Amino acid sequence: MPTTAPYGTWKSPIAADLITQKSIQLVDIIPDPITGELFHVEGRPSEGGRNVIVRSRTNEDVLGPGWNARSGVH
C-alpha cells in the first residue's frame, strides 16, 4: 500500500549522483588549423571529473585513461 508523505520528504529512487554520473559534458571544441580535423573535450563525471580530448570523427579518446586534459603546466 502506498504511503503518503509531506511535500518534499518522500523517498525517491532517483538521486542526483545517479543522473550526473551517466552524463558527459561537452567542454570545448578544438579544430586543428592544419588538417581541419575536429576534436572536442568531454567532462566525464563517471571518471572522477576528468576531461578527455576526443577525436570527433571517430569518437576515440586521444589521451589514455591516466591523463586529464584539464591539468596544465604553469
Side-chain angles (χ1 to χ4, degrees), residues 47 50-53 62-71:
E47 297 181 25
R50 84 178 181 113
N51 288 348
V52 182
I53 298 174
V62 175
L63 302 174
W67 297 92
N68 188 344
R70 180 179 55 199
S71 301

Side-chain angles (χ1 to χ4, degrees), residues 1-7 9-10:
M1 177 182 294
T3 305
T4 303
Y7 178 78
T9 63
W10 52 277

